Amino acid sequence: MNTRKVVQLFFTTLIIGSLSGTIVGLLLDLDLYTSGSVANLIVGIIWIAGISAAFSLIAQMGFFAYLTLHRFGLGIFKSVKLWNWVQVILIAFVVFDLIYLRYIAFAQEGETIFHYMVMPLALLVYGAIIAYLKAKDTNKGAFIPALFFMVVITSIEWVPALTVNDPKWLWVYFAPLIAANTWQILILHRLQQQ
């Protein structure tokens, strides 16, 4: 992979993350941005696009950190099968933590744990779909690493919004992360083949 392809990956990921976050951010606060003048709408779009661009940069850092981590994992465990089992255990641990730790930290009286299961389980299902597509495009061995990246790395990148627990910011932060991570994991092998 040459420098031109890395730059292409950087800018396309930045654009995809920014657009997805801008769309979700506008939809979540449409009244805020459309009430008032056109200048209010323009400044609002620029602001939410800038925030989304920052989140997509975090996704890119997470992607390159994962590529490094994956190589370390293969080197430390000396076996793809063992490294895959470690990743599966970490996926289960992260999904459990996303449910249970958020529940004990933020649950109010009358709320059940099922309310806190929706987003982590949706992320797991979405991650499995993306991992399936990645494995179908490359090889079966890509499923677990892609699932690990989509669930674990996205969750780590999502931590600042998770600690605030504001539904609006959970989605505004999540949209560029998931869009950028999906793009990166599905396009990388195509860029390497060119």
Side-chain angles (χ1 to χ4, degrees):
M1 193 148 135
N2 60 28
T3 307
R4 185 182 58 81
K5 291 178 185 174
V6 172
V7 171
Q8 178 186 352
L9 178 63
F10 173 81
F11 282 110
T12 55
T13 304
L14 185 67
I15 290 168
I16 288 170
S18 297
L19 285 176
S20 65
T22 302
I23 291 167
V24 169
L26 285 174
L27 291 176
L28 288 175
D29 265 346
L30 193 58
D31 291 341
L32 175 69
Y33 297 116
T34 56
S35 64
S37 66
V38 175
N40 181 51
L41 177 64
I42 292 170
V43 170
I45 289 172
I46 291 169
W47 182 79
I48 200 75
I51 295 291
S52 300
F55 298 153
S56 70
L57 290 174
I58 291 169
Q60 291 186 52
M61 288 187 294
F63 183 63
F64 287 103
Y66 172 70
L67 293 176
T68 304
L69 173 71
H70 185 65
R71 285 290 146 206
F72 278 134
L74 289 171
I76 290 170
F77 293 103
K78 306 283 187 211
S79 163
V80 173
K81 190 178 259 188
L82 182 58
W83 173 231
N84 281 347
W85 275 109
V86 169
Q87 290 180 94
V88 168
I89 291 167
L90 289 172
I91 291 167
F93 183 73
V94 165
V95 170
F96 173 79
D97 283 351
L98 281 175
I99 296 168
Y100 185 69
L101 293 180
R102 287 188 64 235
Y103 172 71
I104 62 171
F106 300 114
Q108 297 173 359
E109 191 173 327
E111 273 188 317
T112 65
I113 197 165
F114 296 109
H115 174 75
Y116 292 89
M117 293 174 76
V118 174
M119 284 182 110
L121 293 179
L123 177 60
L124 182 64
V125 169
Y126 181 80
I129 292 167
I130 298 305
Y132 169 77
L133 293 173
K134 177 72 171 183
K136 192 175 108 177
D137 282 353
T138 56
N139 60 59
K140 290 188 308 185
F143 182 83
I144 297 297
L147 182 62
F148 180 86
F149 172 71
M150 291 303 297
V151 174
V152 176
I153 302 301
T154 301
S155 297
I156 291 169
E157 295 163 349
W158 200 20
V159 164
L162 292 171
T163 58
V164 173
N165 201 42
D166 177 4
K168 176 189 151 195
W169 281 105
L170 283 174
W171 287 108
V172 168
Y173 206 116
F174 184 70
L177 287 178
I178 201 70
N181 284 343
T182 300
W183 172 254
Q184 290 175 111
I185 201 74
L186 292 179
I187 199 69
L188 181 65
H189 64 277
R190 291 185 177 101
L191 288 175
Q192 291 174 331
Q193 290 170 354
Q194 288 178 354

